[in-house]
Amino acid sequence: MVNRQVLLRERPVGVPRADQFEVVERPVPDPGAGEVLIRNHWLSVEPAMRGWVNDAPNYLPPVPVGAVMRSYAVGRVERSNHAMWRAGDVVTGMFGWQEWAAVPGSVIDRKVDDDLPPSTALGVLGLNGITAYFGLLEVGEPRPGDTVVVSTAAGSVGSAVGQIARIAGCRTVGIAGGPAKVALCREAFGFDAAVDYRSPDFEAQLAAACPDGVDVYFDNTAGAVSDAVYRLLASRARVVVCGTASVQDWSPAPLGPRVERVVLVKRARIQAVLAFDWKARYPEALGRLGAWVRDGLIAYREDVLEGIGEAPGAIAGLYKGENMGKRLIRVGS
Amino acid sequence: MVNRQVLLRERPVGVPRADQFEVVERPVPDPGAGEVLIRNHWLSVEPAMRGWVNDAPNYLPPVPVGAVMRSYAVGRVERSNHAMWRAGDVVTGMFGWQEWAAVPGSVIDRKVDDDLPPSTALGVLGLNGITAYFGLLEVGEPRPGDTVVVSTAAGSVGSAVGQIARIAGCRTVGIAGGPAKVALCREAFGFDAAVDYRSPDFEAQLAAACPDGVDVYFDNTAGAVSDAVYRLLASRARVVVCGTASVQDWSPAPLGPRVERVVLVKRARIQAVLAFDWKARYPEALGRLGAWVRDGLIAYREDVLEGIGEAPGAIAGLYKGENMGKRLIRVGS
């Protein structure tokens, strides 16, 4: 049997292009001592992957050229040489963009819940939902009645942020690109207001949606969208920096309006969220997110690409905004 | 007798010029019911005064055109119609740029300490020292062994920040303009290293002074100096935004390198300090700062202008960096 893998072919600057990956065929590996052999069913596509392949300082070293692309995945244990896992377990972890993975048992993060679709382990019950949970609640510190603004609000992280903020008693305002995503924000994800950043009167619409200013801004984009939100920050606002989807290239950093004055005058705080920092509390987040999904308090959308051949162009497409919901690749089913 | 006052004559954009104030002569006022009559001895000059006179959103409404310039001062109570204060008390509060002030007793912040020079109530034992104390300890959260970088390190706030950081067990690096201020940082204020931002190899010097990166950046300048420090931020760095002395005008905000990426990659935090937010804890700060000054652990420098006629040009001079230490105006002595 063949294991198709997606390798990083050259080092991208900025958003990786399809031609900077290649799909190769290798034999299905044998798991070594302490390893498990996993047949992947779902691969994840994340905006964060740009940072994982660029040659710039980051929280993880860049994926080496020639290596399998780093990715979360969901798959089924086919063979196990590790005491904690057995054949038939459906599990999630950093298994990479490949159809089969032989990895140490410790690379498995967890078994996925039986009563929810396994693909949710890559979105609302994976890195995206966990990032939303800790970013909003621990970094954003929302209080009931706060106005919470979210950029890329129709995306996997943004939609979860908006819905958790609503559960926390906040007024929620989503920013998204295009009428379809704006409608999704209002209808599927329950934002109190949603604004299209491509609209010519975006700034006026945003101001109208935030009559008392912005208490929490969950920033997935940076760029001009963020500049508009910063102009509306309320006193003691908290900005959660989660992603920079609107910026194509950070070498060098593009110019924008300096933020020191608004930080000072509004006594604001700008702080990053990185889900990995909260690893010890993942069970708490997954428990609550799972309950909210089961209770219908959190909805999610998925954007499914069929087959590993779609992987090379999948990140660039994400940065073009072509997905509606969490982008996934279905493989080997 | 005559009361010379400095009035704001027109609304400045950016740093106020001398010709935007005027010195007028008025009769010494009579204190009304609940008021005290204070003869001022020392007037303060602060970088924050730019923000107090500009027509832009701020934490206080702007000083009205035609009004006495807002200022902290130290003076002696000459007559009192308020039960808490009596003639002869030496006190500090927002008495304005004038030789005499008739103010409600509640405008007095406190009696100044008998055993220290009264002028310290405007610097190291006033707004500047209090800002340094809470900004560094509560917003910067320094830990022993941290590298703490301070801009305008020879100034009243900066020199206090560096010395409090040293007391807290940190390695301290000062940034100042010109060899005299750099020497002052090293010799009078005990910085472990001090760097001249006007030096052609400033960035290389700063990097050499911070071999383990910057854990806390106490930012009094914004601008290019800050851009250089941001490039050296360590993981989980805290940036304390206190002032923007290097930026002449914020309408509109000047452009600089966007910060979202460094915030994300370094998991950094950017947060404002405003001393007024800590009013309930001023006694704690003043008690400790006073003890450190008495014990010789905190040194300070003063830059004294003689007579209220010097006031109109004093703020512009501050932004040119012509002062060495806390700028004060001695009046009516």
Side-chain angles (χ1 to χ4, degrees), chain A residues 248-297:
Chain A
Q248 292 294 310
D249 186 3
W250 282 98
S251 41
L255 298 181
R258 301 196 73 97
V259 298
E260 292 94 338
R261 191 81 206 157
V262 67
V263 167
L264 199 54
V265 169
K266 298 300 182 184
R267 289 112 115 172
R269 183 175 75 194
I270 302 172
Q271 191 170 357
V273 58
L274 187 75
F276 301 143
D277 290 341
W278 304 91
K279 229 162 192 168
R281 288 176 55 194
Y282 280 8
E284 167 200 322
L286 291 171
R288 294 192 188 178
L289 290 164
W292 289 330
V293 170
R294 286 183 194 95
D295 293 346
L297 290 171

Side-chain angles (χ1 to χ4, degrees), chain B:
Chain B
M1 271 199 305
V2 152
N3 179 25
R4 283 190 293 172
Q5 304 180 311
V6 181
L7 308 185
L8 185 63
R9 200 165 71 168
E10 62 172 61
R11 175 71 53 214
V13 174
V15 176
R17 302 185 311 267
D19 66 283
Q20 294 173 316
F21 297 97
E22 67 180 324
V23 183
V24 298
E25 300 198 349
R26 297 279 185 270
V28 173
D30 278 322
E35 290 194 333
V36 292
L37 177 67
I38 296 163
R39 181 166 194 161
N40 281 335
H41 295 167
W42 297 96
L43 309 179
S44 186
V45 184
E46 322 269 356
M49 286 172 163
R50 172 178 60 174
W52 298 353
V53 297
N54 283 355
D55 183 25
N58 206 334
Y59 47 86
L60 290 173
V63 177
V65 170
V68 173
M69 177 61 194
R70 180 186 294 155
S71 172
Y72 283 97
V74 167
R76 185 175 178 278
V77 175
E78 299 295 332
R79 287 164 59 195
S80 175
N81 297 329
H82 190 284
M84 272 184 70
W85 313 106
R86 62 189 61 186
D89 286 347
V90 178
V91 294
T92 185
M94 280 261 195
F95 309 149
W97 272 1
Q98 52 187 344
E99 293 176 324
W100 296 81
V103 294
S106 60
V107 168
I108 296 176
D109 283 339
R110 63 181 181 96
K111 278 181 74 167
V112 305
D113 297 327
D114 287 334
D115 63 332
L116 290 168
S119 61
T120 56
L122 300 180
V124 66
L125 298 181
L127 188 64
N128 303 149
I130 287 170
T131 300
Y133 182 90
F134 292 111
L136 178 69
L137 298 180
E138 296 294 337
V139 183
E141 298 189 291
R143 289 155 308 192
D146 275 356
T147 295
V148 175
V149 172
V150 188
S151 56
T152 72
S156 184
V157 174
S159 60
V161 169
Q163 294 174 96
I164 298 167
R166 187 170 39 82
I167 292 167
C170 301
R171 171 177 166 75
T172 59
V173 178
I175 302 175
K181 287 183 181 170
V182 166
L184 197 63
C185 286
R186 290 209 192 97
E187 288 151 28
F189 302 134
F191 280 88
D192 292 303
V195 180
D196 184 352
Y197 70 81
R198 297 174 186 164
S199 163
D201 63 342
F202 161 62
E203 290 214 37
Q205 283 189 43
L206 184 66
C210 305
D212 301 320
V214 177
D215 299 296
V216 178
Y217 172 42
F218 197 103
D219 179 10
N220 289 310
T221 55
V225 166
S226 292
D227 298 342
V229 180
Y230 273 67
R231 284 190 271 273
L232 299 173
L233 291 183
S235 190
R236 298 182 186 284
R238 286 82 68 198
V239 175
V240 184
V241 179
C242 180
T244 62
S246 80
V247 177
Q248 293 293 310
D249 186 3
W250 282 98
S251 40
L255 299 181
R258 301 196 72 97
V259 298
E260 292 95 338
R261 191 80 206 158
V262 68
V263 166
L264 200 54
V265 170
K266 298 299 180 184
R267 287 112 114 171
R269 183 175 74 194
I270 303 173
Q271 191 169 359
V273 59
L274 187 74
F276 302 143
D277 289 341
W278 305 91
K279 229 163 191 165
R281 288 176 56 194
Y282 280 8
E284 166 201 323
L286 291 170
R288 294 191 187 177
L289 290 163
W292 289 330
V293 170
R294 288 184 193 93
D295 293 347
L297 289 170
I298 293 191
Y300 62 93
R301 285 292 182 280
E302 294 179 344
D303 173 89
V304 178
L305 305 175
E306 294 292 343
I308 200 162
E310 298 288 332
I315 305 169
L318 209 59
Y319 276 87
K320 284 188 213 119
E322 65 190 24
N323 60 305
M324 292 277 280
K326 170 64 190 179
R327 176 156 274 197
L328 299 167
I329 302 164
R330 183 169 11 215
V331 294
S333 56

Side-chain angles (χ1 to χ4, degrees), chain A residues 82-93:
Chain A
H82 189 284
M84 271 184 70
W85 312 106
R86 62 190 61 187
D89 287 345
V90 179
V91 295
T92 184

Side-chain angles (χ1 to χ4, degrees), chain A residues 18-327:
Chain A
D19 67 281
Q20 293 173 317
F21 297 96
E22 65 179 325
V23 182
V24 298
E25 299 198 350
R26 297 277 185 273
V28 172
D30 277 321
E35 289 193 335
V36 293
L37 177 67
I38 295 163
R39 179 164 196 164
N40 282 334
H41 296 167
W42 296 96
L43 310 179
S44 186
V45 185
E46 321 269 354
M49 285 172 163
R50 172 178 62 174
W52 297 353
V53 296
N54 282 354
D55 184 23
N58 208 335
Y59 47 84
L60 290 173
V63 176
V65 171
V68 173
M69 178 60 193
R70 180 186 295 154
S71 171
Y72 283 97
V74 167
R76 185 175 180 280
V77 176
E78 299 293 331
R79 287 165 57 195
S80 175
N81 297 329
H82 189 284
M84 271 184 70
W85 312 106
R86 62 190 61 187
D89 287 345
V90 179
V91 295
T92 184
M94 280 261 195
F95 308 149
W97 271 0
Q98 53 188 341
E99 294 175 323
W100 294 80
V103 294
S106 60
V107 167
I108 296 176
D109 284 337
R110 62 182 181 94
K111 277 182 73 168
V112 305
D113 297 324
D114 287 333
D115 63 333
L116 289 167
S119 60
T120 57
L122 299 180
V124 66
L125 298 180
L127 188 65
N128 302 150
I130 287 169
T131 299
Y133 182 91
F134 292 110
L136 178 69
L137 298 180
E138 296 295 335
V139 184
E141 297 189 290
R143 290 155 308 192
D146 276 356
T147 296
V148 175
V149 172
V150 188
S151 57
T152 70
S156 184
V157 174
S159 61
V161 169
Q163 293 174 95
I164 298 168
R166 187 169 42 81
I167 292 167
C170 300
R171 171 177 165 75
T172 58
V173 178
I175 301 174
K181 286 182 182 170
V182 166
L184 197 61
C185 285
R186 291 210 191 97
E187 289 151 26
F189 303 135
F191 281 88
D192 293 303
V195 180
D196 184 352
Y197 70 81
R198 296 174 187 164
S199 163
D201 63 341
F202 162 61
E203 291 215 35
Q205 283 189 41
L206 185 65
C210 305
D212 301 319
V214 177
D215 299 295
V216 177
Y217 173 40
F218 197 104
D219 180 10
N220 288 310
T221 54
V225 166
S226 292
D227 298 342
V229 181
Y230 273 66
R231 285 191 272 274
L232 299 174
L233 291 183
S235 190
R236 300 183 184 286
R238 288 82 69 197
V239 175
V240 184
V241 180
C242 180
T244 63
S246 81
V247 177
Q248 292 294 310
D249 186 3
W250 282 98
S251 41
L255 298 181
R258 301 196 73 97
V259 298
E260 292 94 338
R261 191 81 206 157
V262 67
V263 167
L264 199 54
V265 169
K266 298 300 182 184
R267 289 112 115 172
R269 183 175 75 194
I270 302 172
Q271 191 170 357
V273 58
L274 187 75
F276 301 143
D277 290 341
W278 304 91
K279 229 162 192 168
R281 288 176 55 194
Y282 280 8
E284 167 200 322
L286 291 171
R288 294 192 188 178
L289 290 164
W292 289 330
V293 170
R294 286 183 194 95
D295 293 346
L297 290 171
I298 294 190
Y300 61 91
R301 286 290 183 281
E302 294 179 342
D303 174 89
V304 178
L305 304 175
E306 295 293 343
I308 200 162
E310 297 289 330
I315 305 169
L318 209 57
Y319 276 87
K320 285 190 212 120
E322 66 188 26
N323 60 306
M324 292 278 280
K326 170 65 190 178
R327 177 157 273 197

